[in-house]
Amino acid sequence: MPFSKDEDRIDTIGKCCGTTRYVGDLSFDNMLEAVTVRSTVRRGKIKKISLPEMPDGYFCVDASDIPHQNQVTYFQDTCPYFAESEVKYIAQPIMLMVGPDLRKVRRLAQKVQIDYEEIPAIHTLDEALEGTKPPMHNDDNVYFKEDFSYGDIDGAFAGSDEIFETQTRTGYQEHLYLETQGVVAVPETGKMTVYASTQGPHAIRKALGGAFGCDEEYFRIQQMPLGGGFGGKIETPFFLAGHAAFAASKCKQPVRLIYSREEDLLATTKRHPSRIVIRSALDAKGNILGVDIDVVFQAGGYALSCRMVLDTGLKKATGVYHFPAARVLGRAVATNNPMAGAYRGFGGPQTFFAIETHMNALARKFKRDPLQFKADYFIKQGTDTLTGGKYHFHVALPETIKEAARLADYERRKKEQVQHGPILRGIGQALFSFGAPFSLGTNQPLPNRCMGLLKRKDGRVEILSELVDMGQGLHTALRKIVARALKIPIERIIYKDADTDRVPEASITGASMSVVLFGRVLKDAADKLKPRLEEPGEFSVLEKVKQPDHLQWDPVKQQGDPFHSYVWGTVIAQVEVNTLTWQVAARKIWTALDVGTPIDRRIIKGQIDGGTIQGLGYSLLESMPMDAMPASLADYIIPTSLDVPPVESALIANPYPPGPYGAKCVGEPPLIGVGPAIVDAVANACGIELFQLPVSPEYLMQKMANKS
Amino acid sequence: MVNSHNPYPATLREACMAKQKGAVPYAGGTDFMIRHAKALQTGQCPPFIFLNDLNELQGISNPDNTVRIGALATMAALSVNKEIPGLLSQACNCVGSPALRSAATLGGNICTASPAGDSLPPLYALGAQVEICSPAGRRLMPIRDFISGPGTTTLQSDELLSAVILPVNEFNEFYHHKVSPRVANAITKVSLAVAARIENKRIKKIRMAFGSVGPTIICCPQIEAACTGSSLSELLSAVPELKIMVEKTIKPIDDHRSTAQYRRSIAANLLADCIETFGNP
Amino acid sequence: MTKLTSFTLNGEFVSTKSALDLRLVDVLRCEFNLTGTKEGCGEGECGACMILLDGHPALSCLMLLGAAKDRDILTIEGLRATQGFAVLSQAFNDAGAVQCGFCTPGMIMTTYALLRDNPNPDDGAIRAAMAGNLCRCTGYSMIVEAVSLAVQRRGETW
């Protein structure tokens, strides 16, 4: 193995000491504080806005203060920075109050009177599809629709002896990064610097250029250390950066905008709720002839990234299986709800929950061992993808199953099942893959996207990259790759938080592509720098971003290889169900994961542990109504140290040749299989099928009442 | 802030007078800070008085076969103090997180008068009395008469709750169960506290109180009467009827934390669990 | 009328003229520039604002400045000069207990007090002590491991 030693993370000591400065810790002379005035209705037309009397030095900033266009240009669909004539969800930003004293600013914000003419609001994805309320997007409330298929799906159903159908539902999940969203915008001579807690510094710079109608280089985005991201600091920061920049531009003073936890819960993006119907066409022996999957994702008042999230979820909807025929249809629908967006797993947690729950239920129906039952349909190297591409490399799914089963002592633990008495016990499993990154339509180098290495006079090498360490350890992982390629100690590799004036555009940090794709770009850069390392002076080597040659993708026809690489994994979970209260406690979770070559096992363990527990929260605790967000952490419940079971994990070495030293990704995959594994375990304990996340005690009690 | 008074009263009397003029008492602050969060954020906090310096509100003592708990006793202190009946200790140890428990006070938990207040069901079950003081003097009243509704008490504007008085040795068996959305640091969905005197496997006396299943803590005089005098084996066979009585006695609602149906069913399960615990020690 | 609120802050006697109805977390962060104390929720749920008040873990977002009068307050900035902090931070490093780091100062305040009062806590005691410190990155196990490591290494440190 190329990386035998775990490296210390240089960010650790500052974080322990409390000296690491997050955006909320910044302060500037003459800095003003900003508070967002938000919609209090779900849907309506703004009839009248009455402002309080504004004291000297206090300002109100709204759409009329946007120099060019009131549209977050990052998004393909309409999405205003500030509502002007209509609001589409509760807590939609309408204006900012800005001034030196935060308490006074909040008082002024409170005094803004907004009169609305309310319109019947669409509360759920079901309402969006039923069409009983005035539509909010086209005639059908569908922001985006897409389908994929292969084989003779109609023939499969026509020739079937039986059709087996499941409908699964999942709810919102909040990222709940501990650091709420925040930015500080500082006007300077001929320039504006925006300090931001963001996963995409260059994307923000572009968006600001679009809103101001000016050269984006007018803006400098300094990414500050992130107190967690999980996908939640991709979309929402566009709004904060815009708002603060409009205010700073108007007031000609630094403006700080930090969300309270209440605002963060109410107004930022969440994981898309879903409703997924899967129908299997079965022959008389119970073989699957074809699978028809209907996916609906609930988006909010604006589409944001729902095209990409749905698209990615759909491409994973057939799971780790290749059926004789399959059809996948997906729709993302508009509702007057909090906006949904990118979140660790990116559509995968919903579709994998659906397919694994369907397959596990089928296995139970036929009284087959689920792993044996599912094995008949496993993807193998050379199998076609849903989109007509190929799985080009070794599929290590069977190895992950074997390893997870060994770790869990699965055969023995299956016998620990208890289906009667005060405490029920069961075991469950789920299989998953995670394709990442998305393929592009070209195998040519992307001209405007690159990574670089700066050889400094002192012999140290700085990584020039906008990729963000949001806690996942990316800086350390990429430093290790570069150090190894250059054959110099890691201490000589420097990686600073991104400053768009210093580092070129590469990508938003997300979609688990930072190591597998950009790590490779950096390795290539390092290979070029290596022979020049002893040259005097300061110089840089830039490497354009380019996807591996084996990929064929037609973005218009949506045909070919959808993803670069695939992580394979198995999760086994053991749970106990308290029949007094119908509370479910996970006793232990085992995960075996093929991440290619591990770059740093301690960092990977951190990702597996953390992703698994975030998945556990999604599976058991993190409940909220389909149509509302709790405004308090007392009501949005995430696991505490006492709620989590031990997580035992193992890595399967299955190097991915185009990745840096064979590495794939690890950020998102550990969350994917937890939901279906937990549900399978509860089903195993209780002797019923469950189709919903989270498995709240209320839901389980009701299902058990129906059983008896 | 418009404190026309001294925010640090030196005597209970001074505190009562300030309260009469509109000052809000601040003890552990854990409820105060949440209740007045919006006002604090906008600098519109009502005037307040810090009670922490008042010795009269401190301390735990044992006068006349009772336990007297000063209103400022914290949840953390009550969790570990050996003088405190285990039923109450256990419930206090279920409140919030460790740091919250070392700030939150018993007096605060009572005066907040939330149906989800974790100390309340044990206090009801144990037959606690509250001591109320005012410039005119002190008076005692049962806690169940003191709390008049969700968030409301019979405390007058010039009165402060100064202590809680618990009888001791009245009961010899106890049951407590709190059901909350996660293991720790969470608001109660439903809870039950039971105190019983059991002699020769027969219920001599029993008192029970449910939390979070009505506008206030729910007492169950009819169920208590039905149980009193029964042997444990008779009780065990009466569980189905008792569960129905529970479902009829409590008044749960649907809210964002749970459903009425769940609370009703689990409350009944808890009583059954209590009887089984008593019956099969 | 100017009222002074005096207290001990990281071992030093300090006084402030600030209004008594400010939250302690704001006074620490804005007036004393002690930004190691974080605000994660402002409602006492997450523990990012944990300080030691007279030696015990306390939520500085759920406390008015006025309630700090005559008390002894320790923040991460005061703790980090101690040997105990050195042991804890090294253990946090070695166990990989720090990801985004936003919960870390609060976690360290809590675990410092735990190890002072209970020199040899088991897994359950560690988890119980940190039940009010939320972490979204690690799933807690590596933090618990860090504290166990600190228990082994602490010697007579504190």
Side-chain angles (χ1 to χ4, degrees):
Chain A
M1 280 286 141
F3 300 96
S4 53
K5 180 169 169 272
D6 296 337
E7 290 294 342
D8 288 342
R9 293 172 52 157
I10 43 173
D11 50 329
T12 296
I13 187 65
K15 287 172 173 175
C16 286
C17 287
T19 48
T20 298
R21 287 172 41 104
Y22 299 85
V23 67
D25 301 331
L26 295 179
S27 184
F28 294 87
D29 289 344
N30 298 318
M31 185 172 76
L32 304 177
E33 305 280 1
V35 168
T36 312
V37 177
R38 301 174 178 283
S39 156
T40 52
V41 304
R42 276 179 186 280
R43 187 180 186 187
K45 292 200 184 320
I46 297 174
K47 301 306 285 179
K48 187 174 161 223
I49 299 181
S50 319
L51 295 176
E53 197 178 319
M54 300 293 287
D56 272 355
Y58 288 78
F59 304 87
C60 155
V61 178
D62 63 14
S64 67
D65 296 301
I66 301 176
H68 183 59
Q69 54 173 329
N70 183 15
Q71 160 71 14
V72 184
T73 50
Y74 174 80
F75 302 114
Q76 200 171 329
D77 302 270
T78 308
C79 185
Y81 283 99
F82 289 118
E84 289 184 78
S85 56
E86 62 172 335
V87 293
K88 293 191 176 182
Y89 63 99
I90 287 176
Q92 182 171 356
I94 296 171
M95 62 175 70
L96 286 194
M97 278 293 167
V98 184
D101 181 288
L102 183 56
R103 288 177 155 198
K104 215 164 170 177
V105 174
R106 290 196 189 115
R107 263 200 312 275
L108 289 168
Q110 219 173 40
K111 285 184 186 154
V112 177
Q113 273 280 341
I114 303 174
D115 299 333
Y116 302 93
E117 179 188 319
E118 288 201 53
I119 303 170
I122 298 172
H123 286 245
T124 62
L125 63 87
D126 302 279
E127 280 191 5
L129 292 172
E130 281 157 12
T132 48
K133 304 275 180 67
M136 53 181 285
H137 184 84
N138 295 337
D139 293 339
D140 58 2
N141 292 316
V142 176
Y143 282 133
F144 177 66
K145 186 156 95 175
E146 195 176 28
D147 62 272
F148 301 100
S149 64
Y150 61 77
D152 179 9
I153 189 72
D154 293 327
F157 276 88
S160 67
D161 288 276
E162 186 186 351
I163 293 169
F164 181 73
E165 179 175 319
T166 55
Q167 184 190 96
T168 51
R169 284 181 184 263
T170 61
Y172 276 117
Q173 185 179 24
E174 161 58 32
H175 305 84
L176 219 97
Y177 32 71
L178 265 243
E179 178 214 23
T180 58
Q181 304 269 353
V183 302
V184 182
V186 181
E188 292 152 7
T189 314
K191 195 154 195 71
M192 184 177 312
T193 298
V194 177
Y195 300 83
S197 181
T198 172
Q199 293 176 236
H202 270 286
I204 286 193
R205 190 173 79 157
K206 275 207 171 93
L208 290 178
F212 278 77
C214 70
D215 187 343
E216 64 186 68
E217 299 200 350
Y218 175 74
F219 297 97
R220 167 178 166 242
I221 314 301
Q222 173 63 57
Q223 171 247 320
M224 300 302 291
L226 269 68
F230 314 111
K233 288 177 181 167
I234 295 177
E235 289 143 309
T236 305
F238 288 118
F239 297 89
L240 282 94
H243 294 166
F246 305 144
S249 168
K250 176 170 183 170
C251 309
K252 309 203 166 26
Q253 280 172 262
V255 172
R256 175 161 75 176
L257 175 60
I258 309 287
Y259 279 6
S260 69
R261 178 58 64 183
E262 180 183 0
E263 285 181 290
D264 205 292
L265 283 167
L266 287 172
T268 69
T269 57
K270 326 281 166 216
R271 191 187 299 293
H272 293 82
S274 73
R275 183 191 82 188
I276 301 178
V277 176
I278 301 187
R279 294 164 68 241
S280 286
L282 305 169
D283 70 10
K285 291 179 187 160
N287 297 308
I288 301 174
L289 305 173
V291 170
D292 193 5
I293 303 178
D294 179 21
V295 178
V296 182
F297 277 10
Q298 177 178 305
Y302 295 91
L304 302 195
S305 303
C306 77
R307 290 165 186 272
M308 284 171 74
V309 178
L310 178 70
D311 175 72
T312 311
L314 295 178
K315 287 169 180 166
K316 295 172 179 174
T318 47
V320 295
Y321 313 106
H322 187 83
F323 303 105
R327 177 166 56 207
V328 177
L329 167 72
R331 287 167 290 176
V333 300
T335 65
N336 297 106
N337 279 320
M339 293 193 290
Y343 194 147
R344 192 182 210 167
F346 215 67
Q350 296 96 320
T351 53
F352 267 99
F353 174 60
I355 188 71
E356 284 301 283
T357 299
H358 183 85
M359 294 298 277
N360 289 337
L362 259 179
R364 249 187 300 274
K365 169 183 160 73
F366 294 126
K367 300 192 168 40
R368 295 269 310 272
D369 174 84
L371 291 171
Q372 281 173 15
F373 173 76
K374 295 197 277 198
D376 290 347
Y377 308 95
F378 280 172
I379 288 164
K380 298 178 186 64
Q381 186 172 3
T383 303
D384 286 353
T385 68
L386 175 65
T387 51
K390 287 267 182 267
Y391 290 92
H392 293 279
F393 300 100
H394 177 65
V395 173
L397 178 64
E399 292 96 311
T400 68
I401 295 171
K402 204 173 149 194
E403 184 60 15
R406 188 191 65 78
L407 276 183
D409 201 354
Y410 182 59
E411 291 305 320
R412 182 179 65 78
R413 281 196 199 262
K414 274 206 292 196
K415 299 187 190 105
E416 292 178 352
Q417 185 191 41
V418 176
Q419 287 199 306
H420 300 283
I423 304 287
L424 313 180
R425 190 184 302 125
I427 196 162
Q429 46 62 47
L431 313 177
F432 62 94
S433 65
F434 196 82
F438 329 109
S439 300
L440 302 170
T442 173
N443 290 338
Q444 296 303 309
L446 301 174
N448 301 322
R449 288 172 184 256
C450 54
M451 310 275 287
L453 294 173
L454 175 70
K455 209 286 292 178
R456 307 216 298 203
K457 281 185 197 151
D458 60 8
R460 294 191 295 172
V461 175
E462 182 180 347
I463 295 175
L464 299 177
S465 154
E466 73 156 321
L467 297 177
V468 171
D469 198 322
M470 58 195 108
Q472 84 280 43
L474 180 67
H475 284 189
T476 306
L478 293 180
R479 285 170 65 233
K480 280 183 90 166
I481 289 169
V482 171
R484 182 176 175 83
L486 292 175
K487 298 196 170 59
I488 61 176
I490 189 169
E491 292 73 25
R492 281 177 60 192
I493 314 293
I494 298 163
Y495 195 152
K496 296 178 172 174
D497 289 322
D499 168 352
T500 54
D501 274 6
R502 295 192 69 246
V503 299
E505 180 180 7
S507 166
I508 277 177
T509 304
S512 294
M513 59 186 157
S514 299
V515 165
V516 60
L517 175 61
F518 297 106
R520 177 62 196 230
V521 175
L522 278 178
K523 183 190 174 293
D524 291 346
D527 289 342
K528 283 185 188 157
L529 175 61
K530 179 85 184 70
R532 301 177 56 197
L533 207 51
E534 300 308 317
E535 283 178 27
E538 184 171 292
F539 61 92
S540 59
V541 173
L542 289 182
E543 184 73 18
K544 290 193 173 107
V545 174
K546 173 180 170 301
Q547 69 180 13
D549 294 330
H550 71 273
L551 294 165
Q552 297 290 324
W553 178 248
D554 181 335
V556 178
K557 292 184 190 151
Q558 291 279 304
Q559 284 293 303
D561 305 317
F563 304 111
H564 294 202
S565 67
Y566 297 85
V567 165
W568 303 95
T570 300
V571 182
I572 296 175
Q574 189 174 43
V575 303
E576 287 181 353
V577 179
N578 183 338
T579 59
L580 189 64
T581 60
W582 300 110
Q583 289 166 307
V584 178
R587 285 298 162 222
K588 191 153 182 184
I589 300 176
W590 300 267
T591 290
L593 206 57
D594 155 26
V595 298
T597 303
I599 301 289
D600 189 290
R601 286 175 181 269
R602 188 167 55 189
I603 288 177
I604 291 170
K605 179 168 160 38
Q607 290 301 299
I608 294 178
D609 279 12
T612 302
I613 299 310
Q614 204 167 35
L616 184 71
Y618 187 48
S619 309
L620 292 178
L621 299 177
E622 297 182 31
S623 164
M624 63 184 84
M626 282 283 270
D627 68 340
M629 273 304 298
S632 156
L633 265 196
D635 292 321
Y636 187 76
I637 302 290
I638 68 165
T640 71
S641 51
L642 287 170
D643 293 277
V644 306
V647 176
E648 203 177 333
S649 57
L651 302 179
I652 304 297
N654 175 28
Y656 163 63
Y661 300 102
K664 298 194 244 187
C665 69
V666 69
E668 298 175 87
L671 187 145
I672 307 283
V674 179
I678 292 281
V679 160
D680 189 43
V682 178
N684 180 254
C686 296
I688 55 169
E689 298 298 336
L690 298 160
F691 301 105
Q692 183 180 306
L693 292 182
V695 183
S696 65
E698 287 81 2
Y699 169 62
L700 186 55
M701 183 188 87
Q702 203 167 17
K703 295 293 282 187
M704 290 303 280
N706 295 346
K707 180 195 178 189
S708 58
Chain B
M1 188 182 57
V2 277
N3 269 357
S4 57
H5 57 272
N6 174 11
Y8 299 101
T11 64
L12 203 45
R13 186 185 168 80
E14 190 187 337
C16 289
M17 310 271 277
K19 180 165 176 276
Q20 190 177 24
K21 289 182 194 146
V24 181
Y26 179 110
T30 55
D31 183 67
F32 180 99
M33 297 297 285
I34 300 293
R35 187 178 295 220
H36 300 289
K38 283 271 182 283
L40 286 164
Q41 282 163 13
T42 51
Q44 295 166 311
C45 185
F48 48 84
I49 39 172
F50 295 107
L51 301 182
N52 270 69
D53 291 344
L54 297 175
N55 287 330
E56 294 116 302
L57 304 183
Q58 314 270 10
I60 294 167
S61 56
N62 294 79
D64 312 327
N65 220 19
T66 61
V67 184
R68 183 182 190 280
I69 306 168
L72 289 179
T74 64
M75 295 295 158
L78 295 169
S79 302
V80 293
N81 191 303
K82 296 284 175 256
E83 305 291 334
I84 302 302
L87 186 64
L88 181 60
S89 290
Q90 201 185 334
C92 292
N93 201 35
C94 293
V95 173
S97 64
L100 195 99
R101 290 196 288 277
S102 63
T105 65
L106 185 64
N109 203 234
I110 295 170
C111 290
T112 297
S114 159
D118 282 315
S119 71
L120 300 180
L123 292 173
Y124 276 58
L126 292 167
Q129 296 217 303
V130 292
E131 181 192 272
I132 295 158
C133 60
S134 69
R138 290 165 193 260
R139 63 191 176 100
L140 284 179
M141 72 191 296
I143 189 166
R144 59 186 70 198
D145 298 332
F146 176 70
I147 293 176
S148 51
T152 60
T153 68
T154 57
L155 208 59
Q156 300 298 304
S157 66
D158 64 342
E159 289 180 325
L160 282 166
L161 187 149
S162 48
V164 174
I165 292 151
L166 297 175
V168 291
N169 301 327
E170 204 174 324
F171 302 101
N172 60 356
E173 293 287 342
F174 305 95
Y175 175 90
H176 178 259
H177 198 120
K178 162 175 168 164
V179 181
S180 57
R182 68 182 164 202
V183 175
N185 197 7
I187 295 170
T188 304
K189 284 183 186 178
V190 44
S191 70
L192 170 62
V194 182
R197 173 128 223 116
I198 302 176
E199 288 171 9
N200 301 321
K201 299 191 173 179
R202 198 166 281 280
I203 304 282
K204 289 284 175 192
K205 185 173 183 184
I206 189 165
R207 214 152 36 205
M208 60 187 73
F210 287 95
S212 291
V213 289
T216 59
I217 302 302
I218 301 280
C219 300
C220 310
Q222 285 175 318
I223 304 175
E224 290 164 3
C227 295
T228 306
S230 301
S231 70
L232 289 173
S233 54
E234 286 165 346
L235 268 194
L236 280 167
S237 51
V239 160
E241 294 94 86
L242 292 169
K243 284 177 80 170
I244 292 169
M245 289 179 81
V246 170
E247 296 191 10
K248 285 184 176 160
T249 307
I250 61 176
K251 303 177 187 70
I253 54 163
D254 286 329
D255 63 15
H256 56 288
R257 296 195 181 114
S258 190
T259 62
Q261 190 191 10
Y262 177 80
R263 290 176 160 125
R264 188 172 289 118
S265 170
I266 302 308
N269 286 356
L270 292 184
L271 184 63
D273 186 54
C274 166
I275 290 168
E276 279 163 29
T277 310
F278 286 168
N280 308 298
Chain C
M1 179 175 66
T2 307
K3 291 197 198 76
L4 272 182
T5 304
S6 304
F7 53 95
T8 306
L9 179 57
N10 295 331
E12 285 180 34
F13 181 79
V14 298
S15 296
T16 170
K17 290 179 189 169
S18 292
L20 300 180
D21 67 344
L22 289 173
R23 301 182 311 166
L24 183 61
V25 64
D26 295 326
V27 176
L28 294 174
R29 286 175 54 80
C30 303
E31 187 172 334
F32 292 97
N33 291 318
L34 299 173
T35 53
T37 303
K38 305 297 178 194
E39 179 175 347
C41 69
E43 48 179 347
E45 294 287 334
C46 80
C49 68
M50 202 71 78
I51 56 164
L52 299 189
L53 181 68
D54 297 336
H56 297 292
L59 299 155
S60 60
C61 78
L62 274 197
M63 194 175 155
L64 291 184
L65 170 64
K69 183 170 85 81
D70 301 336
R71 313 286 294 265
D72 182 14
I73 289 167
L74 188 73
T75 71
I76 191 72
E77 289 85 356
L79 187 71
R80 71 183 177 220
T82 64
Q83 280 293 309
F85 174 82
V87 171
L88 275 169
S89 60
Q90 188 63 47
F92 270 60
N93 175 76
D94 296 351
V98 180
Q99 290 191 32
C100 86
F102 207 76
C103 74
T104 309
M107 283 283 182
I108 288 185
M109 298 310 288
T110 297
T111 51
Y112 177 85
L114 168 71
L115 297 199
R116 182 199 57 212
D117 298 342
N118 180 357
N120 201 11
D122 61 10
D123 185 273
I126 295 169
R127 287 179 183 274
M130 61 170 61
N133 291 84
L134 296 180
C135 169
R136 191 58 153 171
C137 295
T138 65
Y140 303 103
S141 292
M142 292 166 97
I143 300 177
V144 175
E145 199 184 308
V147 179
S148 303
L149 211 53
V151 168
Q152 291 166 28
R153 294 173 177 175
R154 61 178 299 178
E156 299 296 310
T157 314
W158 76 98

